[in-house]
Amino acid sequence: MGDKANTHPGAAGRATAADHPASVRNVVLVGPSGSGKTTLVEALALTAGAVNRAGRVEDGGTVSDYDGIEHRQQRSVQLSLVPVEWDGIKINLLDTPGYADFVGELRAGLRAADAALFVVSASDGVDGSTRMVWEECAAVGMPRAIVVTHLEAARADFEEMTRICAEAFGGDDPDAVLPLYLPLHGPQAPDGHAPVTGLTGLLSQKLFGYSSGAREESEPGEDALPGIEEARARLIEGIIAESEDETLMDRYLGGERIDVKTLIEDLERAVARGTFFPVLAAAPAAEGARQGIGTVELLELVTRGFPTPLEREAPRVTTVGGEPRVLDPCDPDGPLVAEVVKTASDPYVGRISLVRVFSGTLRPDQVVHVSGHGLTDRGHEDHDVDERVGALSAPFGKQQRALTHCIAGDLACVAKLSRAETGDTLSAKDDPLLMEPWRMPDPLLPLAIRAHSKADEDKLSQGLSRLVAEDPTMRLEQNQDTHQVVLWCLGEAHADVALERLRSRYGVQVDVVPHQVSLRETFAAAATGRGRHVKQSGGHGQFAICEIEVEPLPGGSGIEFVDKVVGGAVPRQFVPSVEKGVRAQAARGVAAGHPLVDVRVTLVDGKAHSVDSSDAAFQTAGALALREAAAGARIHLLEPVAEVTVLVGDAYVGAVMSDLSGRRGRVLGTEQSGGGGTLVRAEVPEIEIGRYAVDLRSLSHGTARFHRAYARHEPMPAQVAERLRQQERAG
């Protein structure tokens, strides 16, 4: 890394099917929106010879999302794959969204990758969400490196940004986060900013200039060396501290000059192990240049420092019946185990699945077994079917380059898997296996929708099923209480994209309506009611009279029916009819149209007619009796209350607790969760937290997470209930 000036010809950059896992690198780019991830991917593709200066591949198309539909501005909400080749190594670059609403796409990228490039802007710094993803990668030991972009911005300071990264990512060992290169600056502009023209390699002590349009290596002048000595010495000490050679530090401190080749080898091993995290710089190419500043250095780091898929532990798999199976790491000749990490729709070829192969080799026209993913609670059915694989291809812009196979460790796009969804496992037909699903964030923002027209209503069900098949972070709910269709999303941007995809991809226009929570009713005190259903209009008449007593029960008791009729006032065969009528009326509600719960209804008396009484008549009488009891009683409106847990940084605990109290919440307590975080537990009415996913993100600057679970229904305050009734009447 940093010792050779590589000028690879353009044809070398066209990625094809890999023949061995050792010749593959899977790298995910992580960073907030606006940090420059997509621009960096395009610059790497340009340097590798995969595209020309216009961003076009030789046979047309642009470096864009593989589904061929989304434009550049829409790519920021999807996982994109761009495969390139460098030094005979196929590099799968996975560009992830920077918006918090699309963390599911980010998680898919992390699942498919073996190493991560964290892209941070020199003008914006490191945000809380990026720190959280870094911690996730650290928890699984994923190798990481940091790329500082936007060095051309005014007041950009690479050294200061490196210090911030060491503080944010270094934890207890900030010397594990150190730069490999320092930017070279050109003449100072009138605004005081000096543009970046190249890099200084700290280990090689060579200059790499890009002003001519390509990377050129030169020796620094004697006056330049003292300026890099401090940074070079710190880098060497950081590398030696991670070296497997325990004598190296003593030799270095004793004055021995350590060979650069030895340092680079130790650096590469430390990066691959995930114990050292180099910082690199990237800047735009000069007008007409063939390479962006820092792109060659990045490609060298990826090919020489990042691990091969062989160095990743085999995933946990079981048979479909649940018996554990042990796989050899990334064996192309092993049993087939692949995972769908993304599903998209193409208007011409239909569904396209982005697949990471973990074991075995996937080939076109192969019959595979599709195993489900355990997300039935989100509207994704479990699968256990056989399907024939369509064509395999490597995405490149709007082009799909055909592949003859996809070996363990590689990624490919698979056409015509009509049943497979994101998170599903593909395995051999005669040896079906199931991978442990990755953790998905809970969608906590409800979006209630209805079809815009009758024509849209006919297409809505199919459009929604396709939508949730593509996105496992979305949950589809058909609420039986409110009769609403609800899409649960991760945030407003997520919801907006869902609506746009319904319209543009599936031709379904929907209207957004206010989300309703499942309210209930109950009696505040005991009451009595008499139901009289007597009709005589010629022929067979109707006669049924019943008297009931109603009393409230503790929450969660439901409807309890008791028969205390004596003397046969209501014949035995009609008592179930009264109960049926009472329960039917309770389901319809007795005041505001919400189901009645938590009451005991006692049948105490009644009258019947030997000819005109019937099952239907006593059902009607039972319903009338309950309505009369309610008319003379005070009825409580019950609202659902959720148990809410919020994991938030200590700096925002006070603001979060105050906000929860303002939502009529009861804070139950707090506890330390480690890492400067606090877990806040509270009970909050669900009607008050409809937009909490959005509001909490704003309140905590994107650093807090929360979970909600139904606790119970309890009486709504009278003034809130009255306000709700007024809104319902106005609506």
Side-chain angles (χ1 to χ4, degrees):
M1 289 182 278
D3 286 319
K4 56 182 181 179
N6 210 324
T7 57
H8 293 246
R14 297 187 57 170
T16 57
D19 294 319
H20 193 276
S23 62
V24 178
R25 304 291 185 274
N26 297 309
V27 183
V28 61
L29 284 85
V30 178
S33 177
S35 60
K37 296 186 302 297
T38 301
T39 301
L40 181 61
V41 168
E42 294 177 345
L44 292 171
L46 172 64
T47 297
V51 295
N52 59 29
R53 273 302 300 168
R56 298 189 174 277
V57 296
E58 294 177 0
D59 49 358
T62 59
V63 182
S64 66
D65 196 328
Y66 58 82
D67 69 3
I69 300 175
E70 308 296 334
H71 299 296
R72 179 183 175 93
Q73 63 269 28
Q74 294 171 306
R75 295 202 327 259
S76 59
V77 302
Q78 298 188 80
L79 172 69
S80 302
L81 169 63
V82 177
V84 300
E85 189 171 311
W86 186 261
D87 265 358
I89 302 295
K90 181 181 181 183
I91 305 173
N92 291 313
L93 297 169
L94 293 150
D95 184 12
T96 63
Y99 294 107
D101 282 11
F102 304 99
V103 67
E105 303 277 331
L106 169 61
R107 295 267 172 81
L110 293 172
R111 178 76 159 199
D114 303 309
L117 283 175
F118 277 73
V119 183
V120 298
S121 169
S123 57
D124 296 330
V126 179
D127 67 354
S129 297
T130 305
R131 294 177 194 235
M132 290 167 61
V133 179
W134 181 276
E135 291 170 4
E136 283 189 34
C137 293
V140 298
M142 177 176 281
R144 285 146 282 159
I146 301 156
V147 186
V148 179
T149 59
H150 296 164
L151 292 170
E152 73 282 4
R155 296 182 300 279
D157 188 330
F158 178 77
E159 291 185 8
E160 174 63 14
M161 196 64 228
T162 301
R163 185 195 65 77
I164 292 172
C165 288
E167 184 180 279
F169 302 138
D172 296 332
D173 187 12
D175 285 338
V177 181
L178 294 170
L180 299 185
Y181 302 87
L182 296 180
L184 282 173
H185 295 276
Q188 196 174 70
D191 62 359
H193 181 66
V196 177
T197 58
L199 302 171
T200 301
L202 292 179
L203 291 182
S204 64
Q205 293 182 293
K206 296 183 184 299
L207 306 183
F208 302 100
Y210 286 81
S211 56
S212 66
R215 183 181 189 244
E216 293 182 343
E217 180 182 326
S218 62
E219 298 291 336
E222 290 295 327
D223 57 334
L225 290 177
I228 67 171
E229 277 305 317
E230 182 180 349
R232 185 174 191 271
R234 192 176 178 197
L235 173 61
I236 291 173
E237 290 177 10
I239 294 171
I240 291 175
E242 301 298 335
S243 175
E244 295 176 350
D245 184 350
E246 297 179 357
T247 69
L248 205 57
M249 181 62 79
D250 291 336
R251 288 157 50 194
Y252 175 72
L253 295 176
E256 180 179 337
R257 185 178 181 85
I258 308 300
D259 181 57
V260 170
K261 181 180 178 182
T262 300
L263 291 172
I264 291 176
E265 290 173 351
D266 279 342
L267 169 64
E268 292 170 354
R269 282 192 289 267
V271 171
R273 289 198 312 268
T275 59
F276 188 84
F277 315 104
V279 182
L280 296 93
E287 187 67 31
R290 298 191 303 275
Q291 297 172 339
I293 296 172
T295 52
V296 171
E297 290 75 12
L298 265 174
L299 290 167
E300 288 182 357
L301 171 70
V302 168
T303 55
R304 298 171 61 185
F306 279 170
T308 72
L310 290 165
E311 297 170 70
R312 180 174 181 172
E313 288 186 9
R316 296 181 183 177
V317 297
T318 64
T319 64
V320 175
E323 297 179 8
R325 282 283 297 273
V326 179
L327 300 176
D328 292 330
C330 206
D331 181 5
D333 298 320
L336 177 65
V337 176
E339 187 172 37
V340 179
V341 294
K342 179 174 172 62
T343 309
S345 297
D346 186 283
Y348 305 108
V349 299
R351 184 177 292 185
I352 297 178
S353 303
L354 178 61
V355 171
R356 161 78 190 250
V357 181
F358 289 92
S359 175
T361 300
L362 187 65
R363 303 183 188 280
D365 296 322
Q366 180 179 357
V367 177
V368 299
H369 187 80
V370 179
S371 301
H373 39 56
L375 293 173
T376 51
D377 62 320
R378 300 191 183 185
H380 303 257
E381 63 178 5
D382 281 346
H383 296 147
D384 191 14
V385 297
D386 292 335
E387 282 203 84
R388 184 177 296 278
V389 171
L392 301 185
S393 59
F396 225 92
K398 297 178 182 178
Q399 305 295 317
Q400 296 285 333
R401 292 175 175 163
L403 298 177
T404 58
H405 62 276
C406 182
I407 64 167
D410 204 358
L411 290 98
C413 289
V414 181
K416 298 181 180 178
L417 285 176
S418 60
R419 295 292 300 278
E421 298 182 3
T422 301
D424 280 354
T425 303
L426 309 183
S427 56
K429 177 183 177 182
D430 56 355
D431 187 17
L433 298 172
L434 181 63
M435 286 184 63
E436 184 180 59
W438 73 78
R439 186 169 60 91
M440 285 291 181
D442 293 327
L444 296 167
L445 181 69
L447 180 72
I449 59 174
R450 66 183 175 203
H452 182 70
S453 66
K454 182 62 171 68
D456 294 309
E457 190 173 328
D458 296 337
K459 297 182 290 185
L460 181 60
S461 178
Q462 185 179 33
L464 288 173
S465 65
R466 290 181 177 179
L467 187 67
V468 297
E470 293 183 11
D471 189 352
T473 64
M474 191 173 290
R475 177 163 62 90
L476 176 62
E477 176 192 7
Q478 306 272 358
N479 193 297
Q480 299 302 313
D481 291 330
T482 64
H483 308 292
Q484 286 190 317
V485 176
V486 183
L487 277 175
W488 288 85
C489 306
L490 294 175
E492 288 182 309
H494 194 204
D496 290 343
V497 168
L499 295 176
E500 176 58 25
R501 286 179 181 169
L502 277 175
R503 185 192 64 78
S504 61
R505 290 188 181 182
Y506 308 120
V508 182
Q509 189 77 30
V510 298
D511 298 325
V512 177
V513 297
H515 175 247
Q516 300 172 10
V517 300
S518 300
L519 301 175
R520 301 282 187 268
E521 299 171 354
T522 195
F523 278 65
T528 60
R530 185 172 189 266
R532 185 176 186 276
H533 184 61
V534 178
K535 289 188 177 181
Q536 190 70 47
S537 56
H540 189 67
Q542 299 180 56
F543 188 96
I545 297 174
C546 63
E547 296 180 8
I548 63 172
E549 295 176 351
V550 184
E551 56 186 311
L553 293 177
S557 300
I559 299 290
E560 187 178 316
F561 184 85
V562 179
D563 172 22
K564 285 190 177 180
V565 174
V566 294
V570 176
R572 305 307 307 164
Q573 69 268 28
F574 294 134
V575 171
S577 303
V578 175
E579 180 179 359
K580 190 173 181 180
V582 166
R583 291 188 180 275
Q585 184 62 54
R588 293 191 295 268
V590 294
H594 304 293
L596 178 72
V597 295
D598 303 334
V599 293
R600 178 184 292 119
V601 179
T602 303
L603 177 62
V604 294
D605 201 359
K607 293 182 180 179
H609 189 278
S610 58
V611 176
D612 292 341
S613 290
S614 65
D615 170 66
F618 271 100
Q619 284 191 47
T620 302
L624 290 171
L626 186 61
R627 282 157 54 183
E628 182 181 279
R634 186 160 56 92
I635 303 298
H636 274 160
L637 192 61
L638 304 179
E639 61 180 340
V641 175
E643 291 181 356
V644 175
T645 56
V646 185
L647 181 60
V648 61
D650 291 344
Y652 302 106
V653 170
V656 166
M657 293 175 65
S658 175
D659 179 72
L660 289 172
S661 298
R663 298 173 187 270
R664 297 192 285 123
R666 295 184 294 272
V667 177
L668 304 180
T670 63
E671 59 187 74
Q672 292 299 310
S673 65
T678 297
L679 196 66
V680 180
R681 301 184 183 277
E683 291 181 344
V684 191
E686 287 190 8
I687 201 170
E688 302 288 349
I689 54 173
R691 287 181 49 83
Y692 193 56
V694 177
D695 299 337
L696 179 63
R697 185 177 298 162
S698 175
L699 190 66
S700 67
H701 294 223
T703 60
R705 299 190 296 269
F706 86 102
H707 175 73
R708 60 188 284 178
Y710 170 76
R712 62 187 174 278
H713 274 73
E714 63 180 36
M716 179 183 288
Q719 66 273 21
V720 178
E722 180 58 31
R723 185 168 66 246
L724 187 63
R725 292 189 185 99
Q726 291 176 359
Q727 291 174 353
E728 290 176 347
R729 287 194 292 267

